[in-house]
Amino acid sequence: MSSVSATYRATDGSPVLALSLCGHPLSYPNFLSKQRQEFGPNPTAKNDMSNGVASNGLQHHSGMKSTSLTAPKSDQEKLLYMFERQKIVDLLCAYAYTLDCTMMDLKIAHDWANLFTDDCLLTYPFGTHNGKAGLADFGMAAESRFTRMLHIASNFVVEFESDTVAHARYTCFATHGSHEWDLSKHFMEAGYYYSSFRREPTADGFSTWKFSHLTLDMVWTQGESLGLNEPLNVHLTKSSIQPILTESSP
């Protein structure tokens, strides 16, 4: 795990970019190429994103394949698009609520980790983690310092790369309670999630969408974070919760 992530914002007084340049297809400035083709004054704007598919499912728009999800035409295809898009939005909401539920029982972090593919890649301000193995520990090393949380996701933009790969950009507003009983003591932060997904087979022969990539870029914070977004604090707190999370999951 990297000690400093791509979205870590230094607090030493140096200038801070309004948005991190994380390389996701729907992040700044990558999203502008496709958006300008559809809405801008120059409909022939050159797509400056290269082809290629990364192991975590990221693929640029120039490599998109025309399918019933990327370019729905018939009424049936449009209904399928709406259904699959809602399944992804439901996954995003499940991420937020399951993460909040870990404040009731840290072992629920295993359920949260199951929302990701085995080869997932996650980048938060406090660090980067590759793979589902150890993901529950990684998440709780950061979040277990709080007593309650509320994660709100909204402003969903979902695009399908193919029938099995999709991307999303959406906003994050998170409140973290820092006191056992005083609900007025909290830390707040907000920013953008940039996520990618793969359709994975399930045991019953069907399939489900899972996160293959997630980057969280915080735009502002307010209050005392208890060191949440400081990279080294992940290493300092992880050992103290390891025994809890390595017990059998519920």
Side-chain angles (χ1 to χ4, degrees):
M1 181 182 69
S2 171
S3 61
V4 179
S5 80
T7 62
Y8 174 69
R9 308 298 182 89
T11 56
D12 58 2
S14 57
V16 177
L17 290 176
L19 296 170
S20 292
L21 306 179
C22 67
H24 188 272
L26 296 178
S27 68
Y28 175 87
N30 297 340
F31 82 100
L32 287 171
S33 178
K34 185 171 186 291
Q35 181 167 303
R36 285 169 178 167
Q37 289 179 6
E38 297 180 9
F39 304 106
N42 181 12
T44 59
K46 183 179 179 181
N47 190 326
D48 58 1
M49 293 179 287
S50 61
N51 289 312
V53 182
S55 61
N56 62 4
L58 286 178
Q59 181 176 1
H60 296 309
H61 290 295
S62 56
M64 287 181 65
K65 300 177 181 179
S66 179
T67 69
S68 58
L69 290 180
T70 62
K73 297 178 180 179
S74 67
D75 290 344
Q76 183 176 359
E77 289 177 341
K78 291 175 182 178
L79 284 173
L80 177 62
Y81 168 86
M82 293 171 63
F83 175 80
E84 296 295 346
R85 184 186 187 280
Q86 185 59 49
K87 294 295 289 184
I88 289 177
V89 172
D90 289 348
L91 174 63
L92 306 182
C93 295
Y95 167 99
Y97 191 65
T98 308
L99 191 57
D100 292 343
C101 288
T102 62
M103 297 295 95
M104 297 294 291
D105 183 351
L106 291 181
K107 292 192 293 296
I108 292 176
H110 292 289
D111 297 289
W112 172 76
N114 284 334
L115 302 176
F116 294 82
T117 62
D118 290 341
D119 62 344
C120 61
L121 177 64
L122 293 84
T123 297
Y124 294 98
F126 53 80
T128 297
H129 184 84
N130 190 197
K132 189 170 73 172
L135 180 55
D137 293 325
F138 172 76
M140 291 304 96
E143 304 288 24
S144 62
R145 71 196 70 208
F146 299 108
T147 59
R148 59 186 58 83
M149 299 188 295
L150 175 63
H151 287 80
I152 300 174
S154 63
N155 294 18
F156 302 110
V157 175
V158 178
E159 290 194 357
F160 292 94
E161 194 72 57
S162 67
D163 287 345
T164 57
V165 175
H167 308 290
R169 180 186 69 235
Y170 46 108
T171 54
C172 166
F173 185 94
T175 304
H176 304 76
S178 57
H179 196 275
E180 288 287 346
W181 55 266
D182 188 345
L183 301 185
S184 69
K185 297 185 182 301
H186 57 270
F187 164 70
M188 296 189 296
E189 57 185 357
Y192 288 97
Y193 284 113
Y194 301 102
S195 298
S196 295
F197 317 91
R198 280 209 315 268
R199 193 198 298 272
E200 298 270 285
T202 55
D204 57 5
F206 293 95
S207 62
T208 189
W209 291 99
K210 288 191 174 185
F211 288 92
S212 60
H213 169 94
L214 184 148
T215 293
L216 176 57
D217 179 25
M218 283 304 174
V219 175
W220 62 262
T221 64
Q222 182 177 19
E224 175 52 56
S225 70
L226 304 182
L228 171 63
N229 293 329
E230 296 297 324
L232 293 180
N233 279 285
V234 173
H235 301 285
L236 292 174
T237 61
K238 184 173 181 178
S239 60
S240 64
I241 67 166
Q242 184 81 17
I244 299 175
L245 295 182
T246 52
E247 295 176 4
S248 59
S249 58

